[in-house]
Amino acid sequence: MTLRSLPLRPMFQDRLQAQLVPALQAAFKDLFGHDLDAKAIGFQSTRPEFEGDVTINVFPFLKISGKGPEQTAQAIGEHVQANLLIVARFNVVKGFLNLVVADSYWLGFSQEAGEKDILAFPANGKKVMVEYSSPNTNKPLHLGHMRNIFLGHSVSRILQSVGHEVIRAQVINDRGIHICKSMVAWQKFGKGETPESSGLKGDKLVGKYYVEFDKVYKREIEGLVAAGKTKEQAEKEAPILLEAQAMLLNWEANDADVRALWAKMNGWVYDGFNATYTRMGVEFDKLYYESQTYVLGKNDVLEGLKKGVFYEKDGAVWVDNTAEGLDEKVLLRRDGTSVYMTQDIGTAIKRFEEYPGLSKLIYTVGNEQDYHFKVLFIILRKLGFEWARELFHLSYGMVDLPTGKMKSREGTVVDADELIEEVVNEARASGEQLSKLDEFSAEEKTALFEMIGLAAVKYYLLKVDPKKRMLFDPAASIDLQGHTGPFIQYTYARIKSLLRKADAELSVVSSQLSGSAGQLRTDNSALLPEERAIIKLLHHFPAVLNEAAIKLEPSTLANHAYELVKAYNTFYQTVPVLKEDDAAKRGFRLALSAAVAAVTKKAMWCLGIEVPERM
RNA sequence: GGUCCCGUAGCUCAGUUGGAUAGAGCAUCAGCCUUCUAAGCUGACGGUCCUUGGUUCGACUCCAAGCGGGAUCGCCA
């Protein structure tokens, strides 16, 4: 799987580079008679220990200039400074040309950032489907689902932010042997228990019987082994398993009783899932039920067989991917029934039929299925579907616990509802100690702690590169300090408080905000380092959002949001805002604060995280 | 065994297309609230970027081999 087909906005040039590139090209033309390719210029931000904002490394250009690094950098620097007003001065260190961008440029940008949404991208008319969550209906959602759900949800919002129309899709694996196991166990041992009678959430109740099934199954295996069967035989012949298998056959034969039980228990599960989704703040536009799609694909495979894309062996239909470095794979069993792959072929085709303009389909699925999707995409390409190149497996790493891998059989899974409850309680525990929340009503507090707790878990799961396997440390995940979601929320609330106070005390903020940057623009030493740092991070944000959209990496955005609020906190703690006497400076700092708040809110929205007005 | 992914501070993670003295958070230690929200800020401590070769002006980054960890390779889903 490559990102080859992913770039949705291939090159992102920020507004500063848009001015620097032509100036540099002109310099190369004038100085060395060379037409410089824009892509050859490597911009980097200047390291803090040197003066400057943008650094250009001239080593790659020595052949063009025919001079040493210092002379080359010096010559380019002089030319650019002379011809581009926004370059105030420059310095050369070894082969590095450090350009100092004039305050006037930063002030101009700040003004823009205060007045409009710098993260707004125009709609591009492209339609993208993002599939995520995809639970089985036999047990509750757990930590593994949480990484999936938050990742998929965030990616869908990021794509939406850069101008796509996004369809959020959930596949619900509502049929199969797993749900039959829960059904059999409930029938045998449930005594008519319901969510109402037990007080259990529907998904928890059904999950309870799935566990119950497994217990009985294991006991039966032990009994059979004691009676002289081999383990393998016992695993196949345990009566309760045979019952579940029989039930699956009855389900497929449309047996009315089985279907009714199935509908009832799935209904409980959906109520449970929906409660969890609502609390998580995630949503879906389109639901695909496996019970309705599992028959798909068979005809497509048969057609492929006719076309010679597939072949027959031992009565089964195969695909040969050895040329692609993969293996051969069965698509239809000897008895003519489908495998999982067949179904995925069919549903992909169906989705592109349903959404004719669909330009991309993203599957948010764990990396243990890397091979499966590789094969799926190759097959669809072989079947001749143009859109097959627009399929993407958003593959993410497993979530490990400090105790090792999560295993449902060993009861080491972290339940989603319980985890959320825990982290919300933690937010409450630390929040209640702060006197500043005294004026909050009970309802306001509850809403706030909910918001903070969810931010903690979501941010914890999203700040790590999705491709990488990550460790879930329960203690760290409920942390509200440092590199966390609540820290970002706190900074936002801090700014909002400042702005409220400004409004009340000055009552002229809005008129001061716009124009104040303009007033400062004539003074070239107006900007403090703390202000400059914030402005540069704001300036970089659209490129970061774009990158997050191209790479489908919320972590990029999460980390940049953290850097921004960190820089803001430093500013806040060292530079007076309301206490500044100079009205222009005060207005400028307020506008800058407002811009940080707006960008932070948008970035957090892209992560699926809400921010409070006070905390 | 084949294929794929990963290895950066005590722990968890960043690190742009190869660039200057590799950065954060947590933990530990030391400071900062009669002053705009201390869920904050400042500083200290902390590194064989798994190892060895190679490519080059330059490698945490690219290539090869090795070591360590994981995933996957079913007429399962």
Side-chain angles (χ1 to χ4, degrees):
Chain A
M1 229 92 25
T2 66
L3 292 169
R4 177 180 48 80
S5 67
L6 265 185
L8 306 153
R9 282 168 64 100
M11 277 280 277
F12 186 90
Q13 214 180 43
D14 70 35
R15 37 174 288 158
L16 183 57
Q17 287 171 16
Q19 294 193 55
L20 290 174
V21 167
L24 286 163
Q25 284 172 325
F28 273 75
K29 189 77 183 164
D30 293 348
L31 296 169
F32 317 122
H34 181 266
D35 290 313
L36 184 66
D37 180 3
K39 285 191 293 257
I41 312 168
F43 291 105
Q44 44 189 300
S45 43
T46 307
R47 296 184 66 97
E49 58 266 37
F50 303 104
E51 194 203 18
D53 298 301
V54 180
T55 294
I56 293 146
N57 188 323
V58 300
F59 275 108
F61 305 132
L62 299 185
K63 279 187 191 130
I64 295 168
S65 70
K67 296 182 175 131
E70 277 81 4
Q71 295 99 306
T72 305
Q74 186 70 27
I76 299 170
E78 280 168 10
H79 191 283
V80 171
Q81 187 186 4
N83 291 288
L84 195 59
L85 281 176
I86 60 164
V87 175
R89 45 185 187 282
F90 71 95
N91 62 79
V92 174
V93 182
K94 290 192 255 180
F96 296 91
L97 171 59
N98 300 322
L99 300 177
V100 179
V101 176
D103 282 358
S104 60
Y105 173 82
W106 296 122
L107 286 162
F109 166 73
S110 305
Q111 190 165 0
E112 196 184 314
E115 286 164 3
K116 65 170 208 191
D117 179 2
I118 58 166
L119 294 184
F121 285 59
N124 59 23
K126 293 207 171 167
K127 210 182 288 175
V128 179
M129 180 182 282
V130 182
E131 174 196 312
Y132 57 97
S133 193
S134 314
N136 287 356
T137 58
N138 61 320
K139 53 182 187 247
L141 302 172
H142 58 70
L143 183 55
H145 293 109
M146 292 174 92
R147 189 175 197 191
N148 180 309
I149 292 166
F150 297 148
L151 181 59
H153 185 242
S154 174
V155 160
S156 75
R157 285 199 167 171
I158 288 169
L159 292 175
Q160 201 175 322
S161 299
V162 298
H164 296 77
E165 184 192 331
V166 178
I167 302 146
R168 296 156 231 266
Q170 180 182 200
V171 173
I172 301 172
N173 300 305
D174 61 341
R175 56 126 244 144
I177 191 70
H178 52 85
I179 181 68
C180 287
K181 288 178 179 176
S182 291
M183 286 158 67
V184 164
W186 183 86
Q187 228 173 17
K188 293 173 85 78
F189 317 113
K191 300 183 185 120
E193 193 177 34
T194 66
E196 292 73 33
S197 74
S198 65
L200 280 175
K201 226 165 132 261
D203 53 332
K204 296 287 193 303
L205 181 69
V206 173
K208 176 179 149 187
Y209 286 100
Y210 187 73
V211 171
E212 187 63 30
F213 174 94
D214 204 54
K215 267 197 250 169
V216 175
Y217 178 50
K218 281 203 176 110
R219 260 205 313 270
E220 289 183 354
I221 290 172
E222 278 172 34
L224 289 172
V225 169
K229 301 262 189 194
T230 66
K231 196 164 175 254
E232 290 69 32
Q233 278 177 318
E235 279 171 357
K236 280 185 193 154
E237 295 170 15
I240 196 163
L241 179 69
L242 298 180
E243 273 185 81
Q245 285 167 341
M247 189 176 268
L248 182 57
L249 288 177
N250 285 333
W251 182 91
E252 279 168 7
N254 252 318
D255 178 283
D257 290 343
V258 170
R259 286 283 179 150
L261 176 62
W262 171 77
K264 178 164 76 178
M265 290 182 72
N266 271 337
W268 294 343
V269 172
Y270 300 146
D271 290 344
F273 283 175
N274 288 337
T276 304
Y277 288 144
T278 301
R279 193 169 189 192
M280 288 175 166
V282 301
E283 62 279 325
F284 300 93
D285 306 309
K286 173 82 185 169
L287 303 181
Y288 290 96
Y289 294 92
E290 199 203 350
S291 56
Q292 288 160 23
T293 59
Y294 83 108
V295 288
L296 296 174
K298 192 170 166 176
N299 289 336
D300 303 300
V301 170
L302 290 175
E303 216 158 293
L305 180 64
K306 225 179 288 170
K307 282 194 280 185
V309 178
F310 309 128
Y311 66 95
E312 229 174 311
K313 189 172 79 183
D314 306 331
V317 178
W318 295 72
V319 62
D320 182 359
N321 291 330
T322 47
E324 287 82 5
L326 304 174
D327 298 316
E328 295 164 284
K329 167 105 193 140
V330 166
L331 299 178
L332 285 177
R333 298 189 188 98
R334 197 182 324 188
D335 63 6
T337 55
S338 296
V339 294
Y340 188 61
M341 187 66 76
T342 322
Q343 200 187 129
D344 268 2
I345 293 168
T347 48
I349 294 169
K350 184 178 178 211
R351 289 183 198 184
F352 279 87
E353 282 168 2
E354 277 178 352
Y355 297 94
L358 200 60
S359 54
K360 198 163 290 291
L361 171 53
I362 295 164
Y363 297 87
T364 311
V365 179
N367 65 7
E368 69 271 15
Q369 295 200 35
D370 282 355
Y371 182 78
H372 173 79
F373 282 101
K374 232 180 243 183
V375 174
L376 174 65
F377 297 168
I378 287 174
I379 290 173
L380 288 165
R381 224 168 293 164
K382 286 184 172 177
L383 284 172
F385 295 105
E386 264 308 303
W387 45 258
R389 283 177 300 143
E390 303 303 331
L391 301 170
F392 186 76
H393 175 204
L394 176 51
S395 166
Y396 61 91
M398 295 197 140
V399 183
D400 281 326
L401 298 174
T403 48
K405 221 175 133 174
M406 273 199 292
K407 284 183 179 143
S408 48
R409 298 218 178 102
E410 289 164 27
T412 53
V413 286
V414 175
D415 180 80
D417 295 321
E418 284 171 23
L419 176 58
I420 292 172
E421 191 60 26
E422 202 177 315
V423 69
V424 167
N425 286 340
E426 177 62 26
R428 177 176 290 278
S430 21
E432 294 285 11
Q433 292 171 6
L434 303 171
S435 56
K436 61 184 170 184
L437 296 182
D438 288 349
E439 349 171 330
F440 275 55
S441 71
E443 292 75 31
E444 285 170 331
K445 278 188 185 173
T446 299
L448 177 65
F449 298 141
E450 188 78 13
M451 204 188 275
I452 294 172
L454 277 162
V457 207
K458 288 183 181 179
Y459 193 87
Y460 185 88
L461 290 171
L462 288 174
K463 73 176 172 182
V464 180
D465 181 345
K467 290 190 290 294
K468 291 188 180 165
R469 161 184 277 268
M470 68 176 287
L471 182 84
F472 183 85
D473 177 358
S477 74
I478 57 175
D479 208 334
L480 310 176
Q481 278 138 26
H483 189 185
T484 66
F487 171 80
I488 298 171
Q489 290 178 315
Y490 170 75
T491 311
Y492 176 83
R494 212 178 200 189
I495 296 172
K496 295 306 272 193
S497 166
L498 190 68
L499 295 175
R500 275 193 303 272
K501 208 155 268 185
D503 246 337
E505 290 176 12
L506 305 172
S507 70
V508 282
V509 174
S510 47
S511 63
Q512 275 194 349
L513 293 185
S514 61
S516 53
Q519 287 175 43
L520 290 173
R521 233 196 270 210
T522 44
D523 179 358
N524 214 20
S525 60
L527 283 178
L528 299 170
E530 290 84 358
E531 296 167 329
R532 227 180 156 79
I534 295 171
I535 296 169
K536 278 153 83 171
L537 287 165
L538 284 175
H539 184 270
H540 193 45
F541 227 120
V544 171
L545 175 58
N546 185 64
E547 187 192 340
I550 289 171
K551 295 164 121 179
L552 302 177
E553 275 179 16
S555 57
T556 318
L557 206 56
N559 287 314
H560 199 72
Y562 170 68
E563 277 175 41
L564 176 66
V565 299
K566 203 159 93 92
Y568 183 83
N569 274 320
T570 302
F571 159 81
Y572 181 91
Q573 216 107 9
T574 37
V575 180
V577 180
L578 289 178
K579 284 183 220 144
E580 171 60 52
D581 293 329
D582 184 316
K585 285 186 180 169
R586 184 172 61 228
F588 168 68
R589 286 172 196 162
L590 282 168
L592 190 57
S593 301
V596 171
V599 167
T600 301
K601 185 175 189 171
K602 179 76 173 278
M604 292 293 263
W605 183 86
C606 287
L607 298 174
I609 300 175
E610 288 184 279
V611 286
E613 295 304 302
R614 39 186 108 217
M615 76 180 266

